[in-house]
């Protein structure tokens, strides 16, 4: 299965699993893992970046541009949540 996949698809799969793990931890144990959503948000931007590269290589330009824009927006929100103090 992995022999047919290029490096960006494998990275997308790995980053998506990390996002699912951190999101699940944040939902199941909100008091213990209250900052894990930030880590999940960072890896979500990496998922969208790798997905955009894969779509760009497959000549799906409009989908690649949309993935890049959403990845950039997600990364911007991640940095913004790190910089701004709450509480």
């Amino acid at each position: 299965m992995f022999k047919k996949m290029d490096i960006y698809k494998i990275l997308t799969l790995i980053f998506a699993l990390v996002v699912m793990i951190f999101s699940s931890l944040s939902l199941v144990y909100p008091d213990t893992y209250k900052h894990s959503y930030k880590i999940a948000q960072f890896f979500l931007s990496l998922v969208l970046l790798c997905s955009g590269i894969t779509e760009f290589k497959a000549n799906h330009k409009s989908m690649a541009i949309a993935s890049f824009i959403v990845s950039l927006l997600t990364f911007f929100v991640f940095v913004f949540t790190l910089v701004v103090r709450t509480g």
Side-chain angles (χ1 to χ4, degrees):
M1 178 176 143
F2 291 116
K3 289 183 180 183
K4 294 180 182 179
M5 298 174 73
D6 63 346
I7 188 67
Y8 296 112
K9 288 185 181 182
I10 294 171
L11 284 176
T12 302
L13 180 66
I14 292 170
F15 292 151
L17 288 173
V18 171
V19 167
M20 288 175 41
I21 289 169
F22 279 110
S23 297
S24 299
L25 285 174
S26 178
L27 288 172
V28 174
Y29 304 110
D31 295 331
T32 308
Y33 297 101
K34 57 182 158 184
H35 297 293
S36 66
Y37 72 92
K38 294 178 186 177
I39 299 168
Q41 199 169 31
F42 173 70
F43 281 105
L44 183 63
S45 68
L46 291 178
V47 165
L48 291 167
L49 180 69
C50 290
S51 175
I53 292 171
T54 303
E55 294 294 328
F56 193 75
K57 287 173 65 176
N59 290 328
H60 301 139
K61 304 282 192 241
S62 60
M63 199 64 193
I65 292 171
S67 292
F68 288 141
I69 290 171
V70 174
S71 173
L72 185 66
L73 178 69
T74 307
F75 186 73
F76 174 73
V77 171
F78 165 71
V79 171
F80 186 75
T81 57
L82 288 179
V83 172
V84 173
R85 279 191 204 173
T86 58

